[in-house]
């Protein structure tokens, strides 16, 4: 692992700020691996004054970057994608070491970064506006899209690098600079990504401050970012509680937000489902990343007639999950992010029991030599009711609730009967059930799938959700428009000056 740190440019002590130069003189932050509880390296966080220096430089970089033709901006993004390809194994390993997801998922996250760069390169030649017919003779109307400014990116620990790339690849192609505040739980991956971007910018003669970074405390540096009028757009990924704060502060100054918040994702399993497919999708959705994805499967809404068969098979599958060091190739589930996450899960399990639920499998804190120093738990399956408060809230851990239903109408009502609205799925071979689920009276989520699980979004499709999930969209479709400002233009190519709506004003 030391060779990997060396290749990524991670020092024993690293500056937590970047805007063309590295800085950081604030409190020291240690990055602790959830695998064994040991420190990987430390970061000198930025102070509030240093934040202002970084933000100022990012804005200056934007003023120049916006004038670069979009296809040339795309070339820098292409080079970034190539650099990530070269470092995929090393960066993926650091994601695993610092965050705890298994090696395959760590490298898969880096692949998402590569894919969004490819997407953004093509996008750099497709920032299309529209032409409209004017009601006034001799007039032409059209709209165009201009770069917006500095985009603030606040990312969470569970996808420590992918979320950054979803935003900055599109933002860079659109002519924006970015200012990244990563999770304090995963600062080293942020520093590694920024160093890769810095090398690319210097090699392509681009101001590297277009990819700026601030590692700092939320109550100081984070608040400064939210209040900063130099940042017209803040894209924030995290809890609903955090989203309320971001929306309140940025909205108060009439800034824009892209909010990617909590999920309470369900799979409806009907009597006509392919049971083996549904089991496999549930296993990955609920256990993958130790249940620490915003798209993790939290609820199984299952028909009474197949409940017992499904649960029996699912419990058997859970018992086959190899839990341990995520750097080992045979591991399927690594640790939770820290001891606080373990405590939260244990409290949630006690709450389930108190509410009247039944633990069907797992839910233990794992100890012993194999788990020494780490934050390991066994994934939990619980029988519960949808209206339990603990079910209504998202517990960011591998807890899966089994909730029975008797009719499709009831299943959809249960599915939609939570405050969040991110990802959803139904397993059925019945076309009528599938189409009902995808209709306007079906799933109320931003993502709705048939015969695949809730977890595992692809680059190209807009990612995001409704209700308390925040309403934001990233990573594909027309999400690029959020990073630009729209301008409507009218050109009069006559010597007359007619007004719209047939208005006559004087002679």
């Amino acid at each position: 692992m030391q060779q990997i740190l060396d290749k990524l440019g991670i020092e024993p002590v690293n500056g937590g700020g970047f805007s063309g130069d590295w800085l950081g003189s604030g409190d020291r932050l240690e990055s602790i691996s959830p695998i064994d509880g040991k420190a990987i390296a430390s970061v000198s966080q930025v102070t509030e004054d240093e934040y202002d220096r970084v933000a100022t430089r990012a804005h200056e970089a934007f003023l120049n970057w916006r004038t670069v033709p979009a296809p040339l901006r795309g070339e820098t993004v292409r080079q970034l994608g190539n650099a990530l390809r070269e470092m995929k194994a090393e960066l993926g390993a650091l994601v695993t070491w610092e965050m705890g997801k298994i090696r395959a998922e760590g490298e898969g996250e880096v692949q998402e970064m590569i894919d969004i760069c490819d997407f953004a390169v093509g996008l750099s030649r497709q920032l299309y506006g529209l032409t409209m017919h004017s009601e006034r003779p001799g007039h032409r109307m059209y709209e165009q899209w201009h770069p917006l400014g500095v985009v603030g990116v606040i990312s969470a620990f569970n996808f420590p690098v992918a979320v950054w790339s979803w935003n900055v690849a599109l933002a860079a192609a659109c002519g924006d600079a970015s200012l990244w505040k990563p999770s304090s739980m995963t600062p080293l991956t942020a520093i590694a990504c920024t160093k890769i971007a810095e090398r690319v910018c210097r090699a392509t003669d681009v101001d590297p401050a277009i990819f700026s970074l601030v590692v700092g405390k939320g109550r100081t540096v984070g608040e400064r970012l939210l209040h900063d009028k130099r940042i017209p757009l803040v894209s924030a990924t995290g809890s609903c509680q955090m989203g309320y704060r971001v929306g309140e502060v940025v909205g108060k100054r009439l800034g824009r937000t892209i909010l990617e918040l909590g999920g309470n994702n369900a799979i409806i399993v009907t009597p006509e489902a392919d049971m083996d497919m549904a089991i496999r999708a549930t296993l990955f959705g609920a256990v993958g990343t130790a249940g620490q994805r915003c798209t993790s499967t939290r609820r199984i809404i299952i028909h009474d007639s197949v409940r017992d068969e499904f649960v029996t098979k699912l419990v058997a599958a859970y018992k086959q999950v190899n839990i341990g060091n995520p750097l080992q190739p045979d591991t399927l589930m690594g640790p939770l992010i820290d001891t606080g996450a373990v405590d939260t899960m244990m409290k949630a399990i006690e709450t389930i029991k108190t509410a009247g639920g039944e633990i069907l499998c797992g839910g233990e804190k794992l100890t012993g030599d194999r788990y020494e120093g780490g934050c390991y738990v066994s994934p939990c399956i619980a029988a519960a009711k949808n209206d339990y408060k603990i079910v209504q809230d998202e517990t960011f851990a591998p807890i899966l609730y089994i909730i029975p239903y008797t009719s499709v109408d009831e299943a959809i009502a249960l599915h939609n009967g939570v405050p969040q609205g991110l990802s959803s799925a139904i397993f059925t071979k019945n076309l009528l059930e599938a189409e009902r689920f995808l209709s306007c009276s079906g799933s109320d989520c931003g993502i709705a799938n048939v015969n695949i699980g809730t977890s595992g979004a692809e680059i190209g499709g807009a990612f995001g959700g409704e209700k308390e999930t925040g309403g934001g969209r990233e990573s594909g479709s027309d999400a690029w428009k959020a990073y630009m400002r729209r301008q409507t233009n009218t050109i009069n190519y006559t010597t007359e000056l007619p007004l719209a709506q047939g208005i006559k004003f004087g002679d």
Side-chain angles (χ1 to χ4, degrees):
M1 292 304 298
Q2 187 57 50
Q3 291 177 339
I4 288 173
L5 293 179
D6 292 342
K7 192 168 182 180
L8 292 170
I10 302 299
E11 305 288 343
V13 181
N14 302 271
F18 178 77
S19 59
D21 296 302
W22 288 91
L23 50 81
S25 61
D27 294 342
R28 190 74 58 83
L29 172 67
E30 277 196 317
S31 176
I32 306 297
S33 174
I35 297 173
D36 56 12
K38 295 180 180 178
I40 304 172
S42 63
V43 179
S44 295
Q45 300 179 90
V46 299
T47 64
E48 291 186 69
D49 287 343
E50 287 169 336
Y51 165 82
D52 283 331
R53 286 168 54 190
V54 172
T56 297
R57 276 287 293 114
H59 180 69
E60 291 170 351
F62 159 71
L63 296 179
N64 291 322
W65 183 241
R66 67 181 177 178
T67 66
V68 175
L72 296 183
R73 300 195 297 252
E75 172 60 18
T76 296
V77 177
R78 187 183 72 82
Q79 297 284 2
L80 176 59
N82 287 342
L84 291 169
R85 281 183 175 88
E86 294 172 3
M87 303 294 282
K88 178 178 175 179
E90 292 81 5
L91 188 54
L94 181 57
V95 169
T96 294
W97 196 11
E98 188 172 40
M99 184 267 153
K101 62 178 61 176
I102 63 173
R103 190 71 174 266
E105 289 190 86
E107 291 193 16
E109 184 171 345
V110 181
Q111 186 61 49
E112 285 192 49
M113 304 173 77
I114 296 166
D115 291 345
I116 193 63
C117 286
D118 288 349
F119 182 90
V121 172
L123 179 67
S124 69
R125 294 183 181 270
Q126 299 180 81
L127 302 175
Y128 300 134
L130 298 173
T131 59
M132 289 82 70
H133 289 280
S134 174
E135 68 182 63
R136 291 169 284 188
H139 286 59
R140 180 167 68 89
M141 292 177 62
Y142 69 97
E143 67 178 24
Q144 59 181 332
W145 296 84
H146 291 306
L148 180 63
V150 180
V151 176
V153 180
I154 301 173
S155 62
F157 75 86
N158 59 326
F159 279 86
V161 296
V163 168
W164 170 73
S165 69
W166 292 355
N167 285 277
V168 303
L170 296 188
C174 290
D176 300 329
S178 58
L179 178 56
W180 184 14
K181 184 191 178 303
S183 167
S184 294
M185 297 179 183
T186 52
L188 301 181
T189 49
I191 290 170
C193 288
T194 303
K195 289 194 172 186
I196 292 170
E198 177 190 9
R199 289 196 298 272
V200 168
C201 287
R202 295 198 189 284
T204 55
D205 198 26
V206 168
D207 187 342
I210 64 169
F211 299 113
S212 292
L213 173 72
V214 286
V215 178
K217 297 177 181 177
R219 65 178 180 273
T220 53
V221 170
E223 284 293 311
R224 291 292 286 269
L225 189 155
L226 298 183
H227 285 89
D228 195 338
K229 292 185 177 181
R230 293 170 293 187
I231 300 178
L233 171 65
V234 176
S235 177
T237 301
S239 68
C240 294
Q241 181 180 7
M242 181 272 284
Y244 279 121
R245 179 61 181 169
V246 174
E248 175 189 7
V249 174
V250 179
K252 192 172 183 178
R253 62 176 174 86
L254 300 182
R256 302 186 197 175
T257 57
I258 299 173
L259 299 178
E260 301 286 359
L261 311 175
N264 201 339
N265 316 295
I267 296 176
I268 297 175
V269 181
T270 81
E272 297 190 54
D274 182 317
M275 201 62 63
D276 289 337
M277 281 180 61
I279 291 289
R280 292 199 303 272
T282 300
L283 187 66
F284 175 70
V287 173
T289 324
Q292 297 172 116
R293 287 177 175 233
C294 52
T295 55
S296 289
T297 305
R298 307 289 180 199
R299 298 174 295 143
I300 296 294
I301 300 169
I302 187 161
H303 195 273
D304 274 331
S305 65
V306 293
R307 178 192 182 279
D308 291 346
E309 176 191 359
F310 183 89
V311 170
T312 298
K313 289 183 176 181
L314 187 63
V315 168
Y318 265 50
K319 290 181 179 178
Q320 301 301 311
V321 173
N322 187 15
I323 304 167
N325 188 328
L327 291 168
Q328 300 301 320
D330 59 344
T331 298
L332 289 181
M333 179 177 139
L336 295 180
I337 185 63
D338 60 15
T339 56
V342 175
D343 292 341
T344 296
M345 178 175 173
M346 296 303 111
K347 289 176 183 177
I349 288 170
E350 290 305 312
T351 302
I352 294 166
K353 295 175 183 177
T354 301
E358 178 186 1
I359 304 303
L360 304 176
C361 174
E364 299 109 2
K365 186 187 300 186
L366 299 179
T367 58
D369 293 344
R370 177 179 173 83
Y371 310 109
E372 184 65 33
C375 304
Y376 296 93
V377 297
S378 59
C380 176
I381 304 173
K385 293 182 179 180
N386 204 60
D387 59 1
Y388 289 173
K389 187 178 185 305
I390 190 65
V391 177
Q392 293 285 307
D393 296 334
E394 180 189 34
T395 302
F396 220 55
I399 300 176
L400 179 70
Y401 302 109
I402 305 295
I403 301 166
Y405 79 89
T406 57
S407 71
V408 172
D409 286 345
E410 181 189 9
I412 292 175
L414 289 167
H415 174 278
N416 294 347
V418 292
Q420 310 86 356
L422 179 52
S423 187
S424 60
I426 188 170
F427 274 80
T428 181
K429 296 177 184 177
N430 185 312
L431 179 63
L432 301 182
E433 290 179 333
E435 290 292 344
R436 170 69 193 283
F437 182 72
L438 299 178
S439 75
C440 62
S441 58
S443 168
D444 64 359
C445 293
I447 300 168
N449 299 327
V450 175
N451 293 331
I452 63 170
T454 63
S455 190
E458 292 184 45
I459 297 301
F463 179 88
E466 302 300 327
K467 301 189 294 187
E468 287 190 1
T469 301
R473 293 296 186 275
E474 296 171 328
S475 185
S477 184
D478 64 348
W480 62 271
K481 293 180 178 179
Y483 303 90
M484 305 196 81
R485 59 183 179 89
R486 185 197 310 246
Q487 186 180 80
T488 302
N489 308 110
T490 305
I491 299 171
N492 179 3
Y493 56 90
T494 74
T495 58
E496 304 296 325
L497 192 62
L499 301 177
Q501 293 86 46
I503 295 174
K504 303 293 184 183
F505 189 76
D507 296 329

